[in-house]
Amino acid sequence: MLIKHIFNYFISKGSTGIINFVAIALYTRMLTTADYGEYALIVATASFINAILFQWIRLVLLRFLSKYKKEKREHLLLGTLFISYIATLLLLILITSLVLFLNLTAFHFVMSILVFTISQSLFEIILEVLRSSLYSKIYGMLSILKSIISLVLALLLIKVGLGSVAIIIGAVLGAFISLAVIFILMFKRQKEKISLLFRNGLSNFDYDLLKEFLVYGLPLTATLSMSFIIDQSDRLLLGWLVGKSEVGIYSVAYDLTQQTIIMLMMVINLAAYPLCVRALESEGIEAARKQVKSNVTALFLISAPATVGMVALADSISSTVLGKDFSSKSSSIVSIIAISAFLQGVKVYYLDHSFQLGKKTNLQFYPVLIGGIINIVLNLILIPLYTIKGAVYATLISYIVASFLSWKIGKGIFPLPFPFKDLSKIVICSLLMGIPLYFLNNAHETLYGLLLKIFFGAFIYFVMIYALNVWNVRGRLEILVNKIIKNKEGLRLP
């Protein structure tokens, strides 16, 4: 069942990840390091604003929408959140107007942050509605459609000469166009509910509901905002202390790992975590622990070789994927950022499950708070001394500390199993795969050469995993082959 769920999520998330990966390759060939740096600063600032002002709405939808649908009161929930969103949006516009009036920074920079925040917050809220309503196919279609439209429009606008703003405009139009398409497709099916929501307007707003939602959502928003500080604050500090070009080089290396290692780990988690929750609710703690054990093995099975491969082939990947202005400097930091990304994924998609399964999400705040403070302090010390590498080391140390604290606090709430035997095998197989790849690493790589090395590494890794039967891979493959044979025989029957 886990493999089936992983495959289903990989179709939507994997597709958008591949599109975004291609986008990085194209943007770094068409933009200067300063332009990409400005784009990264806009996205980082907008993401922080989005997390503080609108994250709680998405969390409330995920937690309460299915409940209110069963009670046939979803119009109250959606109406309350809709009015809250509009009020928050007006506050954001007011603050933006004040910043422009005081002339604190460039007009195009402020307006880019505003429109990007609005489009992404709305897009992510609609995605959460679809996810909570179990419209998985529409969820996937919307994500892919937005990625394609955004990329195509951004490339056209870069050709016109709009620089970093081109990517922002592309992303904004991509979000609104894809939402418009989905709205038109869904309007006939949900006409009555949509009409009810807009027709009743303010009468759907419930102040007591809003208080309940804020009590639930704001503490989690604080936790996620602290996570943002570890994840994104280094870009803002790097831009402030050094300059946009360095932000561009740092960000593109970071984005590479986000679209590979983190994307793979997220796909595993999207498929695996609901199985843990179901096991806990239906069969109890031991069943949940058993499922966690299987999940973390799957998580390491995919992410460990991906991380080792990226470390071993850092020069080859940078020179092939990134443009000339980016590749030479980015290659020296890709390896460390890949390790940081791996630690980030282990913390978020494994260690933090202690707090969620143990229903103590408020304690999840402390590891990211301490990690965030350490990250800011180290960035302020190390960036002036070592520029980009200072930011890289600050992030790595922050994730080590945050991961350790999550494990230390979490084991007293919901002890997570650690399948030492299987994970040891995975680490050994990954390192043995990485050794020949390291000696094949080349700063003047071709695309075909890189693909050949990736397939070579994957082959070595698979042979060793199969020989050691990690995660009962032989039995799982046998079941998969038997299903394929049965399906073929079924098709041949008259």
Side-chain angles (χ1 to χ4, degrees):
M1 182 179 285
L2 178 56
I3 294 175
K4 179 184 174 183
H5 284 292
I6 289 171
F7 179 77
N8 288 338
Y9 277 107
F10 185 78
I11 296 299
S12 60
K13 288 294 180 182
S15 298
T16 54
I18 291 167
I19 294 166
N20 292 334
F21 192 82
V22 171
I24 292 170
L26 294 172
Y27 293 157
T28 55
R29 283 165 171 78
M30 301 173 73
L31 294 174
T32 64
T33 54
D35 281 338
Y36 197 93
E38 183 173 73
Y39 157 70
L41 288 171
I42 291 168
V43 171
T45 308
S47 299
F48 186 53
I49 295 168
N50 196 356
I52 292 174
L53 297 182
F54 302 110
Q55 181 71 39
W56 68 273
I57 296 176
R58 297 196 294 275
L59 293 167
V60 167
L61 284 167
L62 182 62
R63 174 64 180 82
F64 293 104
L65 183 57
S66 59
K67 173 190 172 185
Y68 279 79
K69 286 188 87 168
K70 285 179 185 176
E71 297 172 358
K72 299 191 182 300
R73 294 197 302 150
E74 70 264 32
H75 61 282
L76 287 175
L77 179 143
L78 294 174
T80 301
L81 293 180
F82 177 73
I83 298 299
S84 302
Y85 178 81
I86 296 299
T88 309
L89 192 60
L90 291 173
L91 174 64
L92 175 61
I93 292 170
L94 180 63
I95 294 170
T96 304
S97 301
L98 183 62
V99 171
L100 290 172
F101 177 75
L102 295 174
N103 198 26
L104 296 177
T105 188
F107 177 83
H108 79 278
F109 189 78
V110 175
M111 291 306 298
S112 294
I113 291 170
L114 176 63
V115 295
F116 189 81
T117 303
I118 294 170
S119 66
Q120 296 312 299
S121 64
L122 185 60
F123 184 81
E124 288 170 7
I125 287 169
I126 298 299
L127 274 184
E128 206 58 72
V129 171
L130 293 172
R131 181 185 172 196
S132 303
S133 303
L134 303 179
Y135 291 125
S136 57
K137 288 184 180 178
I138 299 174
Y139 176 99
M141 186 172 73
L142 182 61
S143 300
I144 294 169
L145 184 63
K146 188 248 183 186
S147 296
I148 294 171
I149 294 171
S150 298
L151 176 58
V152 171
L153 290 176
L155 294 176
L156 290 173
L157 293 170
I158 290 172
K159 280 285 187 183
V160 174
L162 292 183
S164 62
V165 178
I167 310 179
I168 300 300
I169 296 173
V172 170
L173 291 178
F176 285 130
I177 292 170
S178 55
L179 285 175
V181 171
I182 295 300
F183 181 81
I184 292 167
L185 292 175
M186 291 194 68
F187 186 75
K188 290 181 181 178
R189 293 169 58 184
Q190 303 292 333
K191 185 176 180 180
E192 188 177 332
K193 290 181 180 178
I194 293 171
S195 299
L196 179 66
L197 178 63
F198 285 101
R199 186 171 62 245
N200 291 348
L202 288 171
S203 63
N204 286 326
F205 181 80
D206 189 311
Y207 183 69
D208 291 329
L209 273 184
L210 177 61
K211 286 196 293 184
E212 179 187 348
F213 295 157
L214 289 174
V215 167
Y216 172 79
L218 290 183
L220 289 173
T221 295
T223 301
L224 292 169
S225 298
M226 285 290 101
S227 298
F228 166 88
I229 288 174
I230 302 178
D231 195 35
Q232 299 275 0
S233 64
D234 40 14
R235 304 184 191 201
L236 299 175
L237 290 170
L238 198 58
W240 175 47
L241 295 170
V242 184
K244 292 178 184 177
S245 291
E246 283 70 17
V247 176
I249 293 164
Y250 176 83
S251 298
V252 79
Y254 204 98
D255 291 344
L256 265 181
T257 63
Q258 293 295 308
Q259 300 306 330
T260 49
I261 297 168
I262 293 297
M263 186 273 290
L264 290 170
M265 297 179 88
M266 181 174 62
V267 167
I268 301 293
N269 183 68
L270 284 170
Y273 182 66
L275 299 179
C276 293
V277 175
R278 186 188 299 175
L280 181 64
E281 291 178 349
S282 60
E283 300 175 55
I285 292 174
E286 284 309 310
R289 283 172 53 80
K290 185 179 178 182
Q291 186 62 55
V292 169
K293 187 177 180 180
S294 177
N295 292 354
V296 71
T297 306
L299 189 72
F300 273 73
L301 188 69
I302 301 298
S303 60
T307 304
V308 171
M310 185 157 276
V311 170
L313 294 174
D315 291 338
S316 294
I317 292 169
S318 297
S319 63
T320 305
V321 177
L322 304 179
K324 205 178 291 183
D325 293 342
F326 294 82
S327 59
S328 58
K329 291 184 178 178
S330 293
S331 61
S332 63
I333 60 174
V334 163
S335 298
I336 305 167
I337 292 176
I339 297 168
S340 297
F342 176 74
L343 289 173
Q344 176 189 356
V346 170
K347 179 192 175 299
V348 173
Y349 302 129
Y350 171 53
L351 297 174
D352 285 356
H353 287 175
S354 288
F355 304 104
Q356 294 152 23
L357 296 173
K359 298 179 181 178
K360 294 284 186 181
T361 51
N362 57 313
L363 296 179
Q364 196 173 329
F365 175 72
Y366 297 104
V368 290
L369 172 64
I370 295 169
I373 292 170
I374 289 171
N375 191 48
I376 291 173
V377 172
L378 287 177
N379 271 309
L380 290 172
I381 295 170
L382 297 177
I383 288 174
L385 295 174
Y386 305 107
T387 62
I388 296 174
K389 286 193 176 180
V392 171
Y393 288 122
T395 301
L396 177 62
I397 294 167
S398 300
Y399 274 122
I400 290 171
V401 172
S403 298
F404 173 77
L405 291 174
S406 287
W407 168 76
K408 189 74 175 174
I409 299 170
K411 70 176 183 176
I413 299 168
F414 189 99
L416 296 173
F418 186 82
F420 182 80
K421 188 177 178 181
D422 268 350
L423 296 189
S424 298
K425 291 178 182 178
I426 290 170
V427 171
I428 290 168
C429 291
S430 299
L431 291 174
L432 290 175
M433 173 204 75
I435 291 169
L437 293 182
Y438 176 78
F439 288 104
L440 293 171
N441 193 27
N442 182 7
H444 304 284
E445 190 60 86
T446 64
L447 177 60
Y448 296 114
L450 177 61
L451 291 175
L452 191 63
K453 289 170 187 176
I454 291 171
F455 284 123
F456 174 65
F459 175 75
I460 293 173
Y461 180 72
F462 175 77
V463 168
M464 289 189 291
I465 288 293
Y466 187 85
L468 295 173
N469 197 29
V470 179
W471 201 47
N472 189 29
V473 70
R474 294 179 201 162
R476 292 175 189 274
L477 282 175
E478 188 179 340
I479 292 169
L480 182 63
V481 170
N482 288 335
K483 279 185 179 180
I484 293 170
I485 292 170
K486 273 188 179 181
N487 289 337
K488 283 185 177 180
E489 288 175 351
L491 290 171
R492 287 173 189 166
L493 292 173

